Amino acid sequence: MARRDKRSAVPGPRGPGESAPPKRSLGQNFLVDQNISRKIVAALDIGPQDTVLEIGPGRGALSEWIAKAGPGRYLAVEKDADLAMALPARAPGVGVAAMDALRLDWARLASLPRLKMVGNLPYNVASPLVWDLCAGVDAFEYAIFMVQHEVALRMAARPGTGEYGALTAWMGNFVTVDYLFKVPPTVFRPRPKVDSAVVRLDPLPSGPRPESLSGLAAFLKRCFSHRRKQLRHTLKAQWTDDISQIFEMNGYLPSCRPEELSPDFFRILAKTLKIHGP
Ligand code: SAM
């Protein structure tokens, strides 16, 4: 007979919708270790004036702790309608919307007071959500997200490292990323194949922002499409002596590869090249 792991027990009876098998298409690997739940919610440091927005609450592994912490307002967005319906039984007071978090309207969220975001993000949602969320960076105080370990390393990477890429350079224009802690596959049901990690995103104090968000996003994807190639070769058609000079004025050799350039410098370069959105 299998031994029951006390740490793994999700408290309370299962509600309607929670007994359905996990949906792989929605990345449903549910957290079953309450110590990790507590640690994530503690990192959110919820106060009575805060609005908490949870992305993908699932069966409520974080939600119960969030509700207990007593935020001023607690909202959640869950794509699985059955799980969304079952959530209030686990987390009294939650206002849950059965919707795709990738359709969130960041401009509307900006009106919520002291907004803190949290979520154990499914792998296919983490990157697109973070690309979107940076554009709505004025809407929130900070965010605590669990993502695949490899994605966390990319988010928190420094220029000049193998993990540094378009996502890092994009995020670096809007937020600072702190890698908080690693989470093993054993604390999920079903178990994912890879490690996870928890990161904290803090909006940068308002400084120069990209002139065109969609332009910078497309530019970064293009620059990193050949990450080992010198950027002057990737941007051959647009390269001029002026661009070489801008590199030198910012302390870079014109022969640099994209992975060596700071997030800020990509913004400067996109502005100089007058890159606009599609
Ligand atoms: N927070 C729960 C936990 O820690 O056990 C569930 C985490 S599970 C990795 C991801 C959750 O996000 C699932 O409940 C899934 O249904 C939901 N989800 C997947 N895609 C989503 C999307 N695009 N928008 C909102 N929720 C989504």
Side-chain angles (χ1 to χ4, degrees), residues 23 25-32 37 40 54-63 77-81 83 97 99-103 119-125 129 146 188-189:
K23 299 181 179 79
S25 61
L26 290 177
Q28 290 183 348
N29 299 96
F30 298 111
L31 185 59
V32 291
S37 295
I40 293 173
E54 185 183 6
I55 311 287
R59 292 177 179 165
L62 303 177
S63 321
V77 171
E78 169 58 63
K79 195 169 177 182
D80 185 324
L83 291 182
M99 66 174 279
D100 184 345
L102 298 176
R103 294 184 167 273
N120 167 12
L121 302 180
Y123 74 97
N124 57 341
V125 170
L129 184 91
M146 176 141 62
F188 300 95
R189 298 287 180 278

Side-chain angles (χ1 to χ4, degrees), residues 126-136 166-167 170 216-218 220-221:
S127 284
L129 184 91
V130 168
W131 279 91
D132 282 1
L133 164 150
C134 284
L167 176 69
W170 170 256
L216 179 64
L220 284 169
K221 286 175 185 168

